[in-house]
Amino acid sequence: MATSSFLSSLKYSDSLTVVGISICTAIICEAISWVLIYRTNSYKSLRSSIDKAAKKLETMKTESTAKITKKSKTKKIDRVETSLKESSRDLSLFKFKSGAVVALVLFVVFGLLNSLFEGKAVAKLPFKPFGLVMKMSHRGLQGDDPTDCSMAFLYFLCSISIRTNLQKFLGFSPPRGASSGLFPMPDPKTN
């Protein structure tokens, strides 16, 4: 009881509440991901195959730039790149399964926060944002002060930065050679 009255008397209590809930949500989401993904043998084998293929590709490319490239060497490089892309795609699909559970948790938390802070400015921005950013940061707020920040904007910024850094800290960040997501950039050689 004393801590809740102490927190409500703080100048930044709403901001700290949103940041704290964002930290807790990130920890819960990473725990869910660990249970559904990171501790499984299939994830570990996919990750090790991606790491091995990335290292092999890197050494093959450094060797091929040092020597005159041969057709057989480029075929080997293409084969390793193909296996790396396939493993990365499999890893993305494997992670996609737990994404639904994590999304459900995030939607529930966002709905809870939205009901708690509806129409209430939780922070003040130190600058006047431009058009699109102002629409996001001032979403659902009354008044004309463009430096007011809504809960949705603060929660969005916190959840992106906290979850990414938490993944790096826990060692759950994607492998070095993994492509970014289900839809990687097209290969310029195939055009």
Side-chain angles (χ1 to χ4, degrees), residues 28-63:
I28 289 168
C29 289
E30 287 309 307
I32 291 170
S33 294
W34 182 80
V35 168
L36 296 177
I37 299 173
Y38 302 126
R39 70 183 182 112
T40 62
N41 290 330
S42 16
Y43 171 79
K44 291 174 183 174
S45 66
L46 275 172
R47 185 164 174 132
S48 67
S49 70
I50 288 173
D51 287 339
K52 287 176 188 174
K55 286 178 185 175
K56 187 175 183 180
L57 184 64
E58 189 177 306
T59 57
M60 289 174 83
K61 283 187 175 181
T62 56
E63 288 175 2

Side-chain angles (χ1 to χ4, degrees), residues 10 17 26 29-30 36 40-41 47-48 51 64 74 76 78 112-114 119 125 129 133 140 161 175-176 178 180 184:
L10 286 175
T17 302
C29 289
E30 287 309 307
L36 296 177
T40 62
N41 290 330
R47 185 164 174 132
S48 67
D51 287 339
S64 67
T74 56
K76 286 180 183 178
D78 287 343
L112 173 74
L113 283 173
N114 210 16
L125 298 175
V133 175
S161 59
R176 218 169 27 127
S180 56

